[in-house]
Every structure is written in structure tokens, then in C-alpha cells.
Amino acid sequence: MRFPKHPGLICILGLVAALGPVQLFGQDVSAASGDSGAVTNVSRSGDTLTLSVGGDRLIVQVCQANMLRVDRLPEGKSSPHTPSIGTTQWRAVGASIDTGSDPMTISTGSMIVKISRASGRVAVYEGRGRLLVAEQDRPEGSKGGVAFDTAPGSHFYGLKGWEYLDDSKGQMEMFPAGDAYRIKAGGEGNTGGSLLWSNRGYGIFVDTDRGDCRIKSPASVLFSGLSRADVEYYVIVGNPAEIQSTVAGLTGSPPMFPKWALGFSNSEFADMNETLCENNVRGYRSRGIPLDLYTFDFQWKAWGEDNYGEWRWNLQNFPNGPSGAFGKKMAAQGVKLAGIMKPRIHVDTTQGHYASEHGFWVPGRKPYEDYFSKKLVNDLDFSKAECRRWFWDHARGAFDTGIAGWWNDEADAWGDTWEGMEMQQALYEGQRAYTRGRQRVWSVNRNFYSGAQRYAYATWSGDIDSGFGVMQQQRERLMCSVNVGQERWGMDTGGFNNHNRVTGEEYNECYARWMEFAAFVPIFRTHGTTYHQPWLFGSRAEAAATKAIKL
């Protein structure tokens, strides 16, 4: 078993936080004015204030000593939380609250909150009195959103990562720009979320599944086009590691992966069957190269066949798969197995007819031709609990016969924020219930949105190309993933495609250096349209890769 010695999350975030100067300043919100209406009524329940502001209701709650929840309800109307929110239950903080002053104040050991009586606007200061964020009074473009004055000199991180073909040009910081940054899960390889944080000691988490964030300047931020009827956001005070830890408490802490998930994984989109897999495993073992996980693409399953072929072993490629004999043979050699899963199934099949009869298709999405089977497929609606249970019920047979991990592919294809998360929710909740919580879950997925991590959810950067330039750009993809709260990240080491036509010694050298890089990221895997075993890249690359895997 290999345990990667990569830098911890605190070290990564600490390096990012070192960017930018520190400037002390202050701002008083007691004189704020505007057309939002004055505070006309205030009630208190524990650490929560409920205020009437004009015709609206405002809820201000101290969730933790360093986290404030603000919920603005137009005409008092609320809306459900998005799936990002993992908990709404908080222990009493015992905040010091003064509703008789102007501005009204809330104090904890970590922050001071001021609420203007004239406008109901909220400002948050760190414990020593330095302003972090203050609501602006209905700035242009803030309808359906919220805008803030922020600590001058702020450097901003979070919100988004990069899709697999993007030219990221080393960018990890969210710079002031005329165009807004989209709040979404994103397409292939992207990691998105509604967290924006700064090196100046604060983060802002907005509960939404879409919208825009425009960083107008280092001291001004606008969130707009949000998905909920009420605008709910959280301000978190602290250093980067404290911000990330607090947001994980809000959106759900990631469960621990199995030990083997910390090791090295071999994967390929190439011809694969039982004999080829056994030969490759023998190649690793005979050379003394560690291997913990073998991941299969389409070839493991009876894709395109009737009678639930999307979940069944392919008898032609893996004759000993359905009995479990093949899985046991690999397990005896210390190798776990993972299989690709898709969010779609074939329409003109027993399983397709069942999905039609029970309303399991994504509403409004029409059948389309699958690129692998060349048959009609459609996508399942994983937002329905019944559909998720049905999906797991048929995946259970594969789990019982050796498929220990889930590679969820292409749930990002339609741009739905929650599709990937809810697909893995089906497998996570199903497996945990089936094993009565005794067996940990592992999955790797092609995008991310805040909250998905609580379903044992890793992300990889998509079907990237080969070459040193592509390898270099994985650095900022990793860092941006960490910045939105997803540190369980990996890549197709060596490159999935070779459209750059890298060949010869350059190709071998790139593979060797890429393996050395990959040994220090959380998810260590090779994958490509060709075989990526270390011994196929020459003796020098094999030696470098072997040394990296053994770290």
C-alpha cells in the first residue's frame, strides 16, 4: 500500500494566503442609508436575530464563533436550501448581542457584527475591529443578489476551476474584471462552488446553484442572478485553513476514503479483458511496482445489452466477473477493482421501459445516440430518491462481485449543477446502507459543486491531452479545486489523448515527470486512450515512475 506524502491542505492554503499585502482599515455602518427601509422590529432567539426591514424579513444568525448566516427574505418569503447545505443545526455560541444600540452589534471572540438601524445592512469585522465585508445598499445590478464592500487589497480565490481544454495560463486567483465569473459546477474537469474567500481573513459562501460573481475591484464584490427567492449567505472569519474547515462543516465533511484509494490506480480507455488485466497485474507485481486499484472503462460491462446491461459484467470480456471469481483473484493479489458508470441507460430495453414507466428520465431531455453502443439512450433523473435507490439496487450485483470503486463519467455533459453529485449520492447512500456503514466508499467524478464531497467524491480534470504544457497547467487546476473546497483531486497522468503528437524520448520523459508530479496529488492514477504501464515508456521512465509510486 502506498501513502502519498503530499503537502497538507493547510500548507497549500497557507501558500496561497501569503499573496497580497495586509492593510488595516475600518468603516462605520451606523450612517448607512438607502431605500431598503429602516429596521422596525427586532426579536431574539438565542444566537439569532429576526428583523423587519421595510416589507422584508432579515435573519442574522451566529452559527459558529467565526461564521455568520444572513438570510434576506423578500416580503418574508423563504425558499428551500440547495443540496450544497449539509446542516442547519448549530450548537449555541452564546454571542453577546446588543439590540439597543445603533448600529446593533453581535460579538463573539472571532468577529463583530454591526447592523444599521437605518437600512438593515450588515457588516462583519474581525475580532480586533478591522472591517472584512459590508453589504452595499442596493447597488446597480444587485437585484436577486447581494453586493459587498470588502477589505481593500483583497486577493480572491474560489468560485471556479478550469475545464479540461481551457488555457488556464497559471491563473489561480479570481481577478477584478468587467465580466462576471459564473457560479456553476462547470463542464468536464471543472470544480465549481459558491465560495469566495480572501487572503484578508474572510470568506463568503452564498447558497445558490447558479448565478454570477463580479469582482468589481479589490474592495467590491457583486453576487447576482442567484437561484433562490431569498438571498442567503454566510460570512466566515479566519485564515484559509479555518475558512475551508468551517465551510466543510456547513456543506458536509468528506468521509474517509478506503486505504487502497490512497494508492496507485491503473486505468485506460483501450481494449481490456480478464486476460489482459491479469497480464498487466502480473507485470506490476513481477517488477516490484506497487498497484492498488485497476479501473475499467466500458469494456467491463455489458453496455448496450438488454436486462440491465449497464450494471452487469461483460461475459465475453470477463467470463469470471459475474461469479465474483475474478474479483477474488485480484483481491488476493492486493488489487481492488473500479468500474465506469454513466448517468444514462438504453431506452429500448427492459431497464429503459422501467425508467419510462416510473418517470425516471430527466424532464425535457430527449433520447440521443450513444457514441459507444450506437443505440438510443437517455439520462436518469437522480434528483428523485426512488431513481437513486433503483440505480443502486442494480449496481449492487457488481459491488458484490468485486467492483469496489465507482468511476462516474459524463454527468457534467448537460450542464446540470447537481447531476454528478446526485448520481454519486445514489451509490454512496446505497453502498453505506447495504454494508451497514462497514465499508468505505470511493468514487472519481468529472466535475464538482459545493456539497458533493460528503458523498465520498473525488474529481479528476477530464480527458486532457499529453505534453509538458498540459502537465504544467494541471497545477492551477489542483489549486483551484482546493480553493473551492475540493482537495480530493486527480488527473489522467500521462495525458488521456495525444493530439499534440508527442513522441519518442519527449513522450517518455513527459510521462516520467508527470508520474513524479502525480505522486504528490491526492488521487494518483494513470489513464489514456493507450496503455500507460510504466514499463512501456523505456527503462529510465520506468525507474522514475517506480520510485514515485513507492514514495
Side-chain angles (χ1 to χ4, degrees), residues 375-387:
K375 298 177 181 179
L376 285 180
V377 294
N378 208 345
D379 297 282
L380 295 171
D381 184 359
F382 291 102
S383 69
K384 296 181 176 179
E386 185 183 355
C387 180

Side-chain angles (χ1 to χ4, degrees), residues 185-205:
E188 181 175 344
N190 204 345
T191 50
S194 53
L195 170 65
L196 180 72
W197 61 272
S198 169
N199 64 312
R200 297 303 308 277
Y202 65 89
I204 303 168
F205 185 93

Side-chain angles (χ1 to χ4, degrees), residues 358-539:
H358 290 79
F360 286 170
W361 303 120
V362 173
R365 203 173 288 178
K366 295 181 179 180
Y368 56 95
E369 183 179 277
D370 179 71
Y371 63 84
F372 197 79
S373 68
K374 307 303 181 185
K375 298 177 181 179
L376 285 180
V377 294
N378 208 345
D379 297 282
L380 295 171
D381 184 359
F382 291 102
S383 69
K384 296 181 176 179
E386 185 183 355
C387 180
R388 294 197 299 270
R389 287 191 292 268
W390 177 75
F391 191 80
W392 163 253
D393 285 344
H394 293 283
R396 190 173 61 199
F399 176 76
D400 285 338
T401 53
I403 297 297
W406 312 104
W407 170 18
N408 299 322
D409 190 28
E410 298 175 345
D412 57 276
W414 295 87
D416 187 300
T417 295
W418 307 114
E419 190 166 0
M421 174 179 173
E422 290 170 338
M423 178 180 177
Q424 174 53 20
Q425 181 183 358
L427 296 167
Y428 177 81
E429 292 179 342
Q431 182 178 321
R432 291 295 285 175
Y434 181 59
T435 64
R436 298 182 181 179
R438 298 190 182 117
Q439 191 157 333
R440 297 173 188 165
V441 182
W442 179 83
S443 72
V444 64
N445 308 266
R446 212 169 68 168
N447 71 354
F448 172 85
Y449 196 76
S450 303
Q453 75 280 349
R454 64 180 180 265
Y455 299 117
Y457 193 105
T459 303
W460 93 100
S461 60
D463 295 347
I464 54 176
D465 223 316
S466 58
F468 282 100
V470 176
M471 178 179 68
Q472 182 182 34
Q473 291 197 352
Q474 300 311 297
R475 171 192 57 180
E476 51 261 34
R477 283 161 168 76
L478 166 61
M479 294 300 297
C480 288
S481 181
V482 170
N483 288 342
V484 299
Q486 171 63 327
E487 73 275 10
R488 294 178 171 190
W489 179 95
M491 56 192 162
D492 289 352
T493 302
F496 176 78
N497 291 305
N498 191 13
H499 295 143
N500 293 330
R501 302 187 184 281
V502 184
T503 59
E505 282 306 306
E506 181 185 356
Y507 189 56
N508 296 343
E509 179 77 11
C510 183
Y511 174 85
R513 302 305 164 219
W514 210 326
M515 288 289 284
E516 291 171 335
F517 171 25
F520 291 90
V521 307
I523 305 298
F524 188 10
R525 66 192 288 267
T526 60
H527 184 57
T529 56
T530 58
Y531 301 105
H532 274 42
Q533 287 74 35
W535 57 87
L536 300 178
F537 295 84
S539 59

Side-chain angles (χ1 to χ4, degrees), residues 251-304:
T251 60
S253 297
M256 188 176 291
F257 279 163
K259 286 183 178 179
W260 50 261
L262 301 175
F264 173 64
S265 171
N266 182 113
S267 177
E268 56 249 331
F269 182 52
D271 287 342
M272 183 48 54
N273 56 46
E274 203 168 298
T275 301
L276 283 170
C277 178
E278 290 176 355
N279 288 341
N280 284 338
V281 170
R282 193 176 302 115
Y284 280 104
R285 294 292 181 251
S286 66
R287 293 172 171 85
I289 304 174
L291 175 68
D292 298 277
L293 175 65
Y294 212 113
T295 304
F296 300 130
D297 211 302
F298 275 112
Q299 293 85 357
W300 84 270
K301 59 173 59 178
W303 187 256

Side-chain angles (χ1 to χ4, degrees), residues 82-384:
T82 73
S84 284
I85 302 300
T87 184
T88 58
Q89 303 298 314
W90 305 99
R91 293 180 179 178
V93 175
S96 175
I97 300 178
D98 183 357
T99 60
S101 61
D102 188 10
M104 293 173 280
T105 62
I106 303 172
S107 300
T108 71
S110 301
M111 64 182 176
I112 300 169
V113 180
K114 298 182 180 182
I115 307 170
S116 167
R117 285 187 172 276
S119 66
R121 297 300 168 187
V122 178
V124 180
Y125 303 73
E126 53 96 51
R128 294 172 297 178
R130 178 172 62 91
L131 179 71
L132 300 176
V133 298
E135 289 182 331
Q136 297 176 7
D137 194 42
R138 292 189 181 275
E140 182 181 354
S142 68
K143 185 177 181 180
V146 61
F148 301 96
D149 292 320
T150 60
S154 292
H155 292 255
F156 295 105
Y157 305 92
L159 292 180
K160 65 175 288 294
W162 298 97
E163 296 189 11
Y164 75 117
L165 291 179
D166 288 342
D167 184 0
S168 48
K169 299 178 180 178
Q171 183 181 344
M172 292 172 273
E173 182 177 344
M174 302 297 106
F175 296 112
D179 294 333
Y181 295 102
R182 293 289 295 154
I183 301 172
K184 60 179 182 177
E188 181 175 344
N190 204 345
T191 50
S194 53
L195 170 65
L196 180 72
W197 61 272
S198 169
N199 64 312
R200 297 303 308 277
Y202 65 89
I204 303 168
F205 185 93
V206 182
D207 186 29
T208 184
D209 63 14
R210 63 179 179 272
D212 297 291
C213 178
R214 183 184 170 199
I215 300 173
K216 301 165 71 175
S217 76
S220 181
V221 172
L222 167 65
F223 291 89
S224 61
L226 307 180
S227 63
R228 292 180 52 189
D230 50 328
V231 175
E232 182 178 60
Y233 68 87
Y234 300 76
V235 177
I236 306 99
V237 178
N239 62 41
E242 291 168 337
I243 292 168
Q244 293 286 2
S245 177
T246 303
V247 171
L250 171 66
T251 60
S253 297
M256 188 176 291
F257 279 163
K259 286 183 178 179
W260 50 261
L262 301 175
F264 173 64
S265 171
N266 182 113
S267 177
E268 56 249 331
F269 182 52
D271 287 342
M272 183 48 54
N273 56 46
E274 203 168 298
T275 301
L276 283 170
C277 178
E278 290 176 355
N279 288 341
N280 284 338
V281 170
R282 193 176 302 115
Y284 280 104
R285 294 292 181 251
S286 66
R287 293 172 171 85
I289 304 174
L291 175 68
D292 298 277
L293 175 65
Y294 212 113
T295 304
F296 300 130
D297 211 302
F298 275 112
Q299 293 85 357
W300 84 270
K301 59 173 59 178
W303 187 256
E305 294 185 15
D306 203 352
N307 296 316
Y308 296 85
E310 293 87 357
W311 292 269
R312 287 192 289 108
W313 284 94
N314 184 310
L315 274 172
Q316 182 176 350
N317 291 338
F318 293 89
N320 293 300
S323 69
F326 174 66
K328 291 177 181 177
K329 186 175 184 179
M330 291 295 98
Q333 298 181 59
V335 177
K336 297 291 186 180
L337 304 176
I340 200 167
M341 304 296 285
K342 302 286 184 176
R344 59 186 180 271
I345 64 172
H346 291 80
V347 173
D348 192 20
T349 57
T350 300
Q351 59 271 28
H353 297 157
Y354 187 95
S356 295
E357 292 165 3
H358 290 79
F360 286 170
W361 303 120
V362 173
R365 203 173 288 178
K366 295 181 179 180
Y368 56 95
E369 183 179 277
D370 179 71
Y371 63 84
F372 197 79
S373 68
K374 307 303 181 185
K375 298 177 181 179
L376 285 180
V377 294
N378 208 345
D379 297 282
L380 295 171
D381 184 359
F382 291 102
S383 69
K384 296 181 176 179

